[in-house]
């Protein structure tokens, strides 16, 4: 059977990190004789450049026809001052909406080799294993009305019952396979939309008597994440709060360059690093490809049920870090600094050792 992967390198460091992730996929497909087909397409600033739209319809078609989508990064300061429909980010939002990718999974786990790369004390972050389940196609990102006018700008934060129910079920199902604890993050002390969110989450929780549910206001959650992150297992939250908390959670693990993500929908799914396009280091072969490579591990697990291969990638990343190999973002005086391509090569080499 052939597996079709749409590859969207995007902007900035996107092409560099994606190319290492594709290298890893090819390495696994060779060892395991898996038939992979890569279909490249444009999205974001590069698509604006070439097609005058951040999301050409051809790109959406290629993604719809794929079994999984691999995306690099989106964003280029060049487009910062243009109209909002001509921003690279629109491409990503259009993909999420167009592919119905409502569930965004962002795991934050610490690799033992990286304990000292975090700005937090080792005893605070040791053994953290958090899964952020972020709602991705609703909330303030997509609510109507929204506009920018001469003397005001506004957005609408709205959640429908079915949107909260389906994302809550994803979180509770995930918690069942983990440490059975869901922290639902909202701003129910101020926002009606959050009071509604809380009510629906409580109702869904009735179906999961074996999972503990805690409600937390988002400001408190931000504080608790750095105070005592080990209290979290699954964090269930809306689109914007999830955006903010996942960047914050990434720093627990030492670098934004480490965090992978999966965006799941009914049909295809999209995998991308949590980090952005980092235009300041683009084209210099020094970006950290680990988040994208770890995203490929999530792809093998969630889209293709290739559990052993997915685990091999995880183990290879851990092994490489254990040996002291680092890209500049996570380097210190006792480590060996690798460039983007060398890091990809090192991880492939480990995979060859791990996979029989
Ligand atoms: C993310 C990013 C996106 C978001 C941007 C690029 C639209 O920050 O995936 O976290 O806000 O969702
Ligand atoms: Mg973000």
């Amino acid at each position: 059977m052939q597996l079709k992967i749409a590859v969207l390198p995007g902007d900035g460091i996107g092409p560099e990190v994606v190319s290492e992730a594709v290298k890893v996929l090819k390495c696994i497909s060779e060892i395991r004789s898996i038939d992979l087909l890569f279909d490249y397409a444009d999205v974001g600033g590069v698509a604006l450049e070439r097609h005058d739209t951040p999301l050409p319809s051809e790109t959406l078609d290629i993604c719809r026809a794929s079994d999984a989508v691999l995306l690099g990064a989106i964003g280029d300061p060049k487009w910062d001052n243009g109209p909002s429909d001509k921003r690279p980010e629109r491409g990503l939002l259009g993909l999420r909406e167009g592919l119905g990718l409502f569930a965004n999974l962002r795991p934050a786990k610490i690799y033992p080799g990286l304990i000292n790369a975090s700005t937090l004390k080792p005893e605070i972050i040791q053994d953290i294993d958090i899964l952020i389940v972020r709602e991705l196609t609703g909330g303030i990102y997509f609510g109507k009305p929204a506009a920018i006018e001469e003397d005001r700008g506004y957005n609408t934060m709205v959640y429908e019952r079915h949107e909260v129910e389906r994302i809550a079920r994803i979180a509770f199902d995930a918690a069942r396979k983990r440490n059975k604890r869901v922290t639902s993050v909202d701003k129910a002390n101020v926002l009606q939309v959050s009071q509604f969110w809380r009510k629906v989450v409580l109702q869904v929780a009735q179906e999961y008597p074996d999972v503990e549910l805690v409600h937390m206001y988002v400001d408190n959650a931000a504080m608790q994440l750095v105070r005592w992150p080990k209290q979290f297992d699954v964090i269930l939250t809306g689109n914007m709060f999830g955006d903010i908390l996942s960047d914050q959670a990434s720093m627990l693990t030492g670098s934004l360059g480490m965090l992978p993500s999966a965006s799941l929908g009914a049909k295809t799914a999209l995998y991308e690093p949590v980090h952005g396009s980092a235009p300041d280091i683009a084209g210099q072969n020094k970006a950290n490809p680990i988040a994208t490579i770890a995203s490929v591990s999530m792809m093998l697990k969630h889209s293709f049920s290739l559990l052993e291969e997915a685990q091999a990638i995880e183990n290879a990343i851990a092994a490489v870090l254990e040996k002291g190999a680092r890209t500049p973002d996570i380097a210190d005086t006792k480590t060996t600094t690798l460039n983007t391509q060398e890091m990809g090569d090192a991880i492939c080499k480990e995979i060859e050792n791990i996979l029989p």
Side-chain angles (χ1 to χ4, degrees), residues 89 92-93 96 106 134 141 243 272:
E89 291 80 2
L92 182 54
L93 297 171
R96 289 173 181 170
R106 298 187 161 182
R134 168 189 177 194
Y141 272 51
D243 177 45
E272 60 171 325

mmCIF file of all heavy atoms in Angstrom, residues 89 92-93 96 106 134 141 243 272, ligand 1:
data_model
loop_
_atom_site.group_PDB
_atom_site.id
_atom_site.type_symbol
_atom_site.label_atom_id
_atom_site.label_comp_id
_atom_site.label_asym_id
_atom_site.label_seq_id
_atom_site.Cartn_x
_atom_site.Cartn_y
_atom_site.Cartn_z
ATOM 1 N N GLU A 89 0.028 33.641 7.621
ATOM 2 C CA GLU A 89 -0.690 32.853 8.635
ATOM 3 C C GLU A 89 -2.062 32.406 8.149
ATOM 4 O O GLU A 89 -2.577 31.377 8.573
ATOM 5 C CB GLU A 89 -0.863 33.662 9.926
ATOM 6 C CG GLU A 89 0.424 33.915 10.704
ATOM 7 C CD GLU A 89 1.247 35.073 10.138
ATOM 8 O OE1 GLU A 89 0.804 35.718 9.164
ATOM 9 O OE2 GLU A 89 2.347 35.322 10.683
ATOM 10 N N LEU A 92 -2.195 28.873 6.910
ATOM 11 C CA LEU A 92 -2.281 27.808 7.911
ATOM 12 C C LEU A 92 -3.706 27.722 8.470
ATOM 13 O O LEU A 92 -4.266 26.632 8.627
ATOM 14 C CB LEU A 92 -1.274 28.089 9.031
ATOM 15 C CG LEU A 92 -1.178 27.071 10.154
ATOM 16 C CD1 LEU A 92 -0.919 25.672 9.613
ATOM 17 C CD2 LEU A 92 -0.072 27.446 11.132
ATOM 18 N N LEU A 93 -4.293 28.881 8.751
ATOM 19 C CA LEU A 93 -5.654 28.888 9.293
ATOM 20 C C LEU A 93 -6.627 28.303 8.272
ATOM 21 O O LEU A 93 -7.542 27.558 8.624
ATOM 22 C CB LEU A 93 -6.056 30.317 9.684
ATOM 23 C CG LEU A 93 -5.188 30.917 10.806
ATOM 24 C CD1 LEU A 93 -5.493 32.396 10.991
ATOM 25 C CD2 LEU A 93 -5.389 30.168 12.114
ATOM 26 N N ARG A 96 -6.307 24.533 8.313
ATOM 27 C CA ARG A 96 -6.976 23.946 9.481
ATOM 28 C C ARG A 96 -8.476 23.901 9.257
ATOM 29 O O ARG A 96 -9.136 22.899 9.521
ATOM 30 C CB ARG A 96 -6.652 24.776 10.731
ATOM 31 C CG ARG A 96 -5.214 24.612 11.192
ATOM 32 C CD ARG A 96 -4.874 25.577 12.320
ATOM 33 N NE ARG A 96 -3.479 25.416 12.734
ATOM 34 C CZ ARG A 96 -2.844 26.246 13.550
ATOM 35 N NH1 ARG A 96 -3.466 27.308 14.041
ATOM 36 N NH2 ARG A 96 -1.591 26.020 13.885
ATOM 37 N N ARG A 106 -0.460 18.782 21.379
ATOM 38 C CA ARG A 106 0.890 19.307 21.555
ATOM 39 C C ARG A 106 1.522 18.735 22.823
ATOM 40 O O ARG A 106 1.334 19.258 23.909
ATOM 41 C CB ARG A 106 0.852 20.841 21.619
ATOM 42 C CG ARG A 106 0.331 21.430 20.333
ATOM 43 C CD ARG A 106 0.426 22.931 20.250
ATOM 44 N NE ARG A 106 0.345 23.350 18.852
ATOM 45 C CZ ARG A 106 0.435 24.591 18.420
ATOM 46 N NH1 ARG A 106 0.624 25.576 19.282
ATOM 47 N NH2 ARG A 106 0.355 24.875 17.146
ATOM 48 N N ARG A 134 -5.545 21.273 22.213
ATOM 49 C CA ARG A 134 -6.024 22.607 21.873
ATOM 50 C C ARG A 134 -7.104 22.527 20.785
ATOM 51 O O ARG A 134 -6.871 21.904 19.743
ATOM 52 C CB ARG A 134 -4.826 23.432 21.372
ATOM 53 C CG ARG A 134 -5.182 24.742 20.705
ATOM 54 C CD ARG A 134 -3.947 25.382 20.052
ATOM 55 N NE ARG A 134 -4.308 26.592 19.349
ATOM 56 C CZ ARG A 134 -3.537 27.230 18.469
ATOM 57 N NH1 ARG A 134 -2.331 26.756 18.208
ATOM 58 N NH2 ARG A 134 -3.944 28.314 17.871
ATOM 59 N N TYR A 141 -10.356 32.615 17.094
ATOM 60 C CA TYR A 141 -9.654 32.605 15.812
ATOM 61 C C TYR A 141 -10.616 32.627 14.624
ATOM 62 O O TYR A 141 -10.261 33.096 13.547
ATOM 63 C CB TYR A 141 -8.777 31.347 15.689
ATOM 64 C CG TYR A 141 -7.387 31.474 16.245
ATOM 65 C CD1 TYR A 141 -7.158 31.956 17.528
ATOM 66 C CD2 TYR A 141 -6.292 31.079 15.483
ATOM 67 C CE1 TYR A 141 -5.875 32.038 18.033
ATOM 68 C CE2 TYR A 141 -5.001 31.160 15.993
ATOM 69 C CZ TYR A 141 -4.802 31.641 17.267
ATOM 70 O OH TYR A 141 -3.530 31.713 17.757
ATOM 71 N N ASP A 243 -2.903 28.206 22.182
ATOM 72 C CA ASP A 243 -1.787 28.783 21.429
ATOM 73 C C ASP A 243 -0.742 29.325 22.405
ATOM 74 O O ASP A 243 0.450 29.037 22.305
ATOM 75 C CB ASP A 243 -2.316 29.913 20.529
ATOM 76 C CG ASP A 243 -1.198 30.600 19.768
ATOM 77 O OD1 ASP A 243 -0.333 29.904 19.224
ATOM 78 O OD2 ASP A 243 -1.188 31.854 19.735
ATOM 79 N N GLU A 272 3.135 19.273 12.300
ATOM 80 C CA GLU A 272 4.041 20.425 12.176
ATOM 81 C C GLU A 272 4.713 20.708 13.514
ATOM 82 O O GLU A 272 4.169 20.399 14.564
ATOM 83 C CB GLU A 272 3.264 21.672 11.719
ATOM 84 C CG GLU A 272 2.173 22.051 12.700
ATOM 85 C CD GLU A 272 1.508 23.400 12.423
ATOM 86 O OE1 GLU A 272 2.200 24.319 11.969
ATOM 87 O OE2 GLU A 272 0.321 23.520 12.707
HETATM 88 C C1 LIG B 1 0.610 28.066 16.160
HETATM 89 C C2 LIG B 1 0.883 29.385 15.491
HETATM 90 C C3 LIG B 1 -0.327 29.764 14.655
HETATM 91 C C4 LIG B 1 -1.493 29.939 15.590
HETATM 92 C C5 LIG B 1 -0.142 30.982 13.757
HETATM 93 C C6 LIG B 1 1.072 30.893 12.874
HETATM 94 C C7 LIG B 1 -1.374 31.218 12.919
HETATM 95 O O1 LIG B 1 1.203 30.349 16.433
HETATM 96 O O2 LIG B 1 0.347 27.091 15.444
HETATM 97 O O3 LIG B 1 0.677 28.000 17.387
HETATM 98 O O4 LIG B 1 -1.689 31.014 16.164
HETATM 99 O O5 LIG B 1 -2.253 28.990 15.755
#
